[in-house]
């Protein structure tokens, strides 16, 4: 219990105190004109109330990630609390805030364009392809699951294909219509529901006297799964996730003031950290430890079954409704913004105005044709790489953020330490994972450390060369 409460207080303190230090490093200027006003087009660049932008950002980056990922991560035991707190305050929230503000400073630029500015054209060209593909795949993956659940709740003579078609139609509309028409109206509502469900579960655990275990510096996974680096990929949303940086440019285009960036980007990530803490606690407390939790989340019921059971028991009928909403709506809200982010990335690459509906259709229609085709392709192996790819995105984004800070003469260690860590995680994981090279853990982990150190050396060499070039230019 003390670990859980203490962790929540640290998350709060991170927002109240540490985020202000990050804000100072960013030289936030409340008098600077934001992209929403500089490039207002009534489609993607629209000034919106800060509370709405915050809730949209929260739902964009959260979805089911801090619930399902937290429940799976809880299998490692209470040590998961530590990763959520430290990862969120020092890693994920900084990652989201800095990348969001860099996008804001560059007129709402998409993630791949930011990579080009700070990591070079070669990285940019590679990441352009990967970013668009990643967003489309995320959108496609979150079609079949919700469609299947809807079909089981409301069966039709057309079966699951009707629900797939309906979800795709919704995705298409959410992708091409102005951001304040659908996303701006329904996202804040669902964002509040997701937060309310977490608060309700957390309070109910405490009031009903459930035993929330204290932190143990041990791996309690019932299947003896390796904690390093597996836990750090399993709990991405809630700690640090590179997917967030693909979503932040969408809201960077809607902020009214630079000063609001801390509330929206850092604040939304802290909120997600709270949700993850609650579901780690719920998984361990409700099922009385990792063996009981493993029976359901690794069994036929899966994480969705755990969410239904916990919510129904702790929150009654209201909890059951929220659970159904969460398991169906949250994946859909992740999918639609993934497709919208893909459109924004493509239009940035093509430098193609989106003010006219016809221009949006030119980009969106081929993208959705590909998306619909992919729903009929079985790619379970491909999806197994998505967890790793998410953390690889975080690694690259953090290195780009470090270059940004270094060039501005600011404390680059704010992001370069996290970049080092995520490089170790990403490389070690892919070297030993079943979908990776399947090498022994010792070799994989040593490789991860070595690659991280090489990246650090490359970073300093690049920065030194850049500084020398600037000095020579000034002197000449």
């Amino acid at each position: 219990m003390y670990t859980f409460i203490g962790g929540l207080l640290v998350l709060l303190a991170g927002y109240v105190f540490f985020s202000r230090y990050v804000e100072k490093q960013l030289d936030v200027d409340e008098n600077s004109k934001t992209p929403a006003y500089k490039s207002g087009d009534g489609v993607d660049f629209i000034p919106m109330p800060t509370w709405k932008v915050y809730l949209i950002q929260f739902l964009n980056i959260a979805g089911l990630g801090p619930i399902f990922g937290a429940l799976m991560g809880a299998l490692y035991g209470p040590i998961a609390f530590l990763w959520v707190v430290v990862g969120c305050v020092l890693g994920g929230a900084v990652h989201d805030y800095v990348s969001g503000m860099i996008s804001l400073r560059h007129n709402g630029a998409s993630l791949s364009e930011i990579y080009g500015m700070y990591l070079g054209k070669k990285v940019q060209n590679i990441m352009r392809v990967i970013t668009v593909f990643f967003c489309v795949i995320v959108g496609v993956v979150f079609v079949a699951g919700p469609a299947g659940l809807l079909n089981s709740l409301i069966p039709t003579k057309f079966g699951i294909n009707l629900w797939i078609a309906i979800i795709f139609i919704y995705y298409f509309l959410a992708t091409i219509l102005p951001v304040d028409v659908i996303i701006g109206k329904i996202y804040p509502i669902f964002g509040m529901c997701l937060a309310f469900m977490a608060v309700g579960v957390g309070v109910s655990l405490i009031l009903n006297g459930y035993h929330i275990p204290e932190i143990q510096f041990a791996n309690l996974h019932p299947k003896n799964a390796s904690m390093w680096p597996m836990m750090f990929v399993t709990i991405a949303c809630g700690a640090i996730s590179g997917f967030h940086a693909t979503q932040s440019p969408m809201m960077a285009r809607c902020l009214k003031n630079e000063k609001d960036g801390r509330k929206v980007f850092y604040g939304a990530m802290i909120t997600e950290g709270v949700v993850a803490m609650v579901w780690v606690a719920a998984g361990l407390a409700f099922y009385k430890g990792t063996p009981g939790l493993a029976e359901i989340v690794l069994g036929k019921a899966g994480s969705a079954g755990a969410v239904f059971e916990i919510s129904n028991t702790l929150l009654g009928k209201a909890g059951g409704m929220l659970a159904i909403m969460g398991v169906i709506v949250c994946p859909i809200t992740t999918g639609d913004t993934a497709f919208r982010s893909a459109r924004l990335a493509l239009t940035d690459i093509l430098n193609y105005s989106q003010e006219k509906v016809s221009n949006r259709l030119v980009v969106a229609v081929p993208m959705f044709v590909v998306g619909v085709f992919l729903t009929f392709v079985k790619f379970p192996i491909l999806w197994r790489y998505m967890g790793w790819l998410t953390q690889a995105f975080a690694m690259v984004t953090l290195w780009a953020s470090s270059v940004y800070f270094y060039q501005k003469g600011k404390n680059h260690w704010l992001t370069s330490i996290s970049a080092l860590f995520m490089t170790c995680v990403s490389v070690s994981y892919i070297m030993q994972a079943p979908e990776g090279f399947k090498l022994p853990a010792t070799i994989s982990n040593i490789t991860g450390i070595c690659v991280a150190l090489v990246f650090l050396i490359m970073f300093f060499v690049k920065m030194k060369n850049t500084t020398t070039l600037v000095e020579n230019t000034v002197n000449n």
Side-chain angles (χ1 to χ4, degrees):
M1 177 73 76
Y2 293 113
T3 299
F4 175 60
I5 299 297
L8 294 177
L9 291 175
V10 172
L11 288 172
L12 178 61
Y15 175 74
V16 174
F17 300 109
F18 188 66
S19 67
R20 294 187 185 277
Y21 174 72
V22 182
E23 184 179 55
K24 288 181 180 179
Q25 296 300 307
L26 287 165
D27 287 333
V28 170
D29 181 6
E30 59 185 336
N31 297 314
S32 178
K33 203 172 183 181
T34 63
Y37 295 107
K38 286 190 294 186
S39 303
D41 61 2
V43 180
D44 299 310
F45 295 86
I46 300 177
M48 295 172 64
T50 304
W51 68 270
K52 270 194 174 184
V53 180
Y54 157 76
L55 285 169
I56 294 170
Q57 174 72 5
F58 168 57
L59 195 61
N60 273 356
I61 65 174
L64 281 176
I67 300 177
F68 281 14
L71 286 170
M72 293 299 293
L75 290 173
Y76 292 93
I79 190 68
F81 286 132
L82 183 62
W83 168 231
V84 171
V85 172
V86 176
C88 184
V89 173
L90 300 180
V94 176
H95 165 279
D96 292 11
Y97 186 19
V98 176
S99 62
M101 291 301 291
I102 293 175
S103 176
L104 185 77
R105 298 276 171 77
H106 293 287
N107 204 42
S110 296
L111 186 61
S112 57
E113 305 313 292
I114 292 171
Y115 290 155
M117 296 170 198
Y118 296 101
L119 297 177
K121 290 295 181 182
K122 290 182 180 179
V123 175
Q124 181 186 49
N125 292 333
I126 294 170
M127 295 309 294
R128 276 175 168 175
V129 176
I130 294 176
T131 301
V132 173
F133 182 69
F134 178 64
C135 288
V136 170
I137 288 297
V138 169
V140 169
V141 166
F142 289 122
V143 172
L149 287 170
L150 284 167
N151 190 56
S152 65
L153 292 170
I154 314 172
T156 69
K157 64 178 181 179
F158 299 102
I160 191 174
N161 289 333
L162 174 63
W163 289 112
I164 288 176
I166 290 172
I167 292 172
F168 262 115
I169 291 170
Y170 164 75
Y171 278 1
F172 188 76
L173 293 174
T175 298
I176 66 168
L177 290 175
V179 69
D180 61 343
V181 172
I182 293 179
I183 293 173
K185 286 186 169 58
I186 67 172
Y187 264 50
I189 297 170
F190 291 132
M192 285 188 282
C193 288
L194 183 61
F196 175 77
M197 180 166 65
V199 170
V201 168
V203 171
S204 185
L205 286 173
I206 295 171
L207 294 182
N208 287 300
Y210 281 88
H211 173 66
I212 302 174
E214 305 300 341
I215 190 168
Q216 299 176 48
F217 295 94
N219 182 2
L220 303 182
H221 199 290
K223 302 293 184 182
N224 294 318
S226 173
M227 183 186 299
W228 174 270
M230 305 308 177
M231 185 182 73
F232 302 93
V233 175
T234 302
I235 305 179
C237 290
I240 180 169
S241 168
F243 176 70
H244 297 182
T246 68
Q247 303 299 293
S248 294
M250 194 186 309
M251 289 299 98
R253 302 178 186 209
C254 298
L255 279 175
K256 289 183 174 182
N257 196 303
E258 277 199 8
K259 200 77 175 174
D260 297 332
R262 185 175 72 92
K263 301 170 189 173
V264 170
F265 299 120
Y266 199 100
M269 184 59 213
I270 290 295
T271 306
E272 186 181 81
V274 171
V275 173
M277 284 287 288
V278 167
W279 284 99
V280 169
L284 293 173
F286 190 85
Y287 295 106
K288 298 180 174 59
T290 57
L293 177 61
E295 285 183 17
I296 185 165
V297 298
L298 298 181
K300 290 184 179 180
S303 295
V307 172
F308 281 120
E309 187 174 11
I310 292 170
S311 300
N312 273 313
T313 304
L314 298 182
L315 302 178
K317 292 182 179 179
M321 290 300 296
L322 284 172
I324 292 172
M325 182 281 295
V327 173
I328 293 176
V329 173
C330 285
I332 293 176
T333 57
T334 298
D336 64 2
T337 52
F339 271 111
R340 191 179 185 96
S341 295
R343 176 178 68 79
L344 296 181
L346 280 171
T347 54
D348 277 359
I349 294 168
L350 300 172
N351 193 24
Y352 192 51
S353 170
Q354 294 293 280
E355 197 163 349
K356 295 180 180 179
V357 175
S358 58
N359 288 12
R360 279 171 262 157
L361 292 174
V362 166
V363 177
V365 170
M367 187 174 71
F368 273 90
V369 169
V370 172
V372 171
F373 170 75
L374 288 174
T375 59
F376 298 99
V377 176
K378 293 182 179 180
F379 48 92
I381 294 177
L382 180 63
W383 180 244
R384 282 163 58 187
Y385 288 94
M386 290 299 105
W388 167 75
L389 192 56
T390 294
Q391 300 307 61
F393 265 109
M395 171 190 74
V396 182
T397 302
L398 286 164
W399 283 120
S401 300
S402 300
V403 173
Y404 174 83
F405 274 140
Y406 195 103
Q407 290 181 349
K408 297 291 183 181
K410 300 298 182 179
N411 182 9
H412 69 84
W413 293 111
L414 269 175
T415 49
S416 53
I417 290 176
S418 296
L420 269 174
F421 182 81
M422 293 311 299
T423 302
C424 285
V425 168
S426 300
V427 175
S428 298
Y429 179 87
I430 201 63
M431 294 296 288
Q432 63 185 277
E435 63 270 26
F437 295 97
K438 302 179 183 179
L439 295 176
T442 302
I443 296 174
S444 301
N445 296 337
I446 291 174
T447 303
I449 293 170
C450 291
V451 171
L453 291 175
V454 169
F455 277 24
L456 183 64
I457 293 169
M458 291 171 61
F459 167 74
F460 281 115
V461 169
K462 177 181 174 64
M463 292 302 95
K464 183 179 179 181
N465 291 340
T466 302
T467 302
T468 302
L469 180 63
V470 171
E471 289 174 350
N472 290 338
T473 303
V474 172
N475 292 333
N476 291 332

